Amino acid sequence: MRIVIAGGHGQIALRLERLLAKRGDEVAGIIRRPEQAGDLLAAGAEPVVCDLESASVPDVARHMEGADAAVFAAGAGPGSGTARKETVDRGAAVLFADAAEATGVRRFLVVSSMGADREPPEGTDPVFATYLRAKGAADADVRARAGLDWTILRPGRMTNDPGTGLITLADATGRGEVSRDDVAATLVALLDEPGTVGRTLELIGGDVPVEDAVRAVANH
């Protein structure tokens, strides 16, 4: 497959690029800064410099021609203020979905966040609350599109612990942690499983092997 990943230099994306390249897929990662290219090349991915905060739909669509799938794994990241949650976590996701539809790339995965489907609890840090609302708005936009075979993945609190390959994946899992390694492995399995189209899934660490967990959800 040829897969285009938005947020190509992110922690999830770099792991995902390594996994996909290792199994022989062709991977392109969209990055904002040219100096990030070396890390993508080392992961086996083709670096594509394109700023999703200022690009047009045709700009992005040009990089998606001929792809079999697209993964939105971009985020404004820690330390960014409320304005960039809106331009990246919501705006860039909508732009990326527009570009996918424009080029006929149907398979579309989104790395979202647990809690994005409800109003943040009182007392939530204002920037984090803005982030959750932006992710929720982006998810709602993607879910409304008939032109995409979408799956939305909402991991719990992510860690840099080594992956175990064992997860809990369901419509609702409850709170929990999950390693970024296991998030990336789950995305690979979701790409391969058309039975997960149209599903919004929560993910935390667990005791079921990734491929079995994805297959079980697809058959449910």
Side-chain angles (χ1 to χ4, degrees):
M1 288 201 290
R2 174 172 170 80
I3 298 141
V4 180
I5 302 172
H9 194 258
Q11 296 191 72
I12 298 290
L14 285 168
R15 287 167 167 83
L16 178 58
E17 286 154 7
R18 280 192 286 270
L19 291 174
L20 292 171
K22 199 151 106 183
R23 72 178 198 169
D25 287 328
E26 193 182 310
V27 196
I30 295 179
I31 53 177
R32 214 177 48 189
R33 299 201 299 273
E35 61 268 26
Q36 297 170 330
D39 290 335
L40 272 76
L41 291 167
E46 169 202 340
V48 174
V49 180
C50 178
D51 185 349
L52 296 177
E53 286 179 90
S54 59
S56 66
V57 171
D59 290 340
V60 182
R62 195 169 66 243
H63 303 303
M64 295 174 85
E65 291 289 351
D68 299 291
V71 180
F72 185 79
S80 56
T82 53
R84 293 200 63 234
K85 305 298 185 205
E86 190 56 30
T87 56
V88 179
D89 294 293
R90 189 197 65 78
V94 171
L95 172 72
F96 198 58
D98 285 342
E101 283 196 322
T103 45
V105 179
R106 291 198 63 94
R107 191 69 176 111
F108 195 86
L109 266 57
V110 176
V111 182
S112 183
S113 174
M114 205 175 271
D117 55 354
R118 51 190 174 270
E119 185 56 21
E122 211 174 314
T124 302
D125 169 76
V127 175
F128 188 63
T130 301
Y131 165 76
L132 289 174
R133 290 188 192 108
K135 293 300 276 185
D139 292 353
D141 178 274
V142 168
R143 286 195 289 220
R145 293 173 186 257
L148 297 178
D149 294 333
W150 55 266
T151 304
I152 293 170
L153 184 65
R154 291 180 165 166
R157 199 179 80 77
M158 291 188 278
T159 73
N160 287 327
D161 296 338
T164 63
L166 301 171
I167 61 169
T168 300
L169 183 70
D171 295 330
T173 60
R175 296 272 165 190
E177 293 187 342
V178 61
S179 75
R180 288 180 172 86
D181 287 351
D182 289 334
V183 175
T186 302
L187 289 167
V188 173
L190 289 171
L191 280 170
D192 292 343
E193 183 44 85
T196 59
V197 168
R199 300 289 293 275
T200 301
L201 300 166
E202 293 187 350
L203 169 69
I204 57 175
D207 53 13
V208 180
V210 168
E211 288 189 2
D212 294 349
V214 169
R215 199 174 305 118
V217 160
N219 294 329
H220 178 57

